């Protein structure tokens, strides 16, 4: 729907007006650039139980509204050694979580690059895991 020339925000797209934060294994990063993000994605591994990365946005005016993309390597389940990519958001009463397992870090990087540029992430290969949100 168009209203004064603006499109309604697509939930699978990061917000243009919300700042990014980067969380590396549970620790907020003081710096963020594409080079840092790509290098940290390449460091994801199975040996460290805290090897995960979250690129997140929160609405500065309403922090209960958020958008994120995260990844880690699968330690168990049907695809051990693969990477999990999850995209999620919480906007007003809507919460969603979408999940995809991919074999290579290059696939992970492509999804993060799209998000980092604030473009819509193609969720067509992802599975809706929103029921895990409770």
């Amino acid at each position: 729907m168009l209203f004064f020339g603006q499109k309604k925000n697509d939930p699978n797209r990061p917000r243009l007006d919300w700042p990014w934060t980067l969380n590396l294994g549970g620790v907020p990063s003081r710096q963020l650039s594409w080079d840092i993000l790509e290098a940290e994605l390449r460091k994801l591994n199975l040996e460290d139980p805290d090897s995960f990365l979250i690129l997140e946005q929160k609405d500065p005016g309403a922090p209960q509204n958020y958008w994120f993309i995260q990844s880690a390597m699968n330690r168990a389940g049907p695809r051990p050694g693969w990477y999990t990519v999850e995209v999620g958001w919480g906007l007003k009463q809507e919460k969603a979580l979408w999940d995809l397992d991919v074999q290579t870090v290059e696939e992970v990087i492509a999804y993060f690059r799209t998000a980092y540029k604030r473009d819509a992430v193609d969720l067509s290969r992802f599975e809706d895991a929103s029921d895990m949100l409770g």
Side-chain angles (χ1 to χ4, degrees), residues 38 42 83 102-111 113:
E38 184 176 359
R42 291 185 185 282
Y83 295 85
V102 295
Q103 285 187 285
T104 69
V105 72
E106 297 305 327
E107 292 171 279
V108 175
I109 289 169
Y111 284 109
R113 182 179 295 117

Side-chain angles (χ1 to χ4, degrees), residues 80-131:
W82 286 36
Y83 295 85
T84 293
V85 178
E86 293 181 331
V87 174
W89 58 86
L91 303 167
K92 297 182 183 172
Q93 300 302 321
E94 177 188 5
K95 290 185 179 180
L97 180 65
W98 291 81
D99 179 79
L100 175 67
D101 289 337
V102 295
Q103 285 187 285
T104 69
V105 72
E106 297 305 327
E107 292 171 279
V108 175
I109 289 169
Y111 284 109
F112 272 80
R113 182 179 295 117
T114 298
Y116 189 75
K117 293 188 321 185
R118 299 178 192 258
D119 290 335
V121 176
D122 178 5
L123 300 177
S124 62
R125 294 178 48 209
F126 285 66
E127 291 183 23
D128 187 349
S130 300
D131 58 338

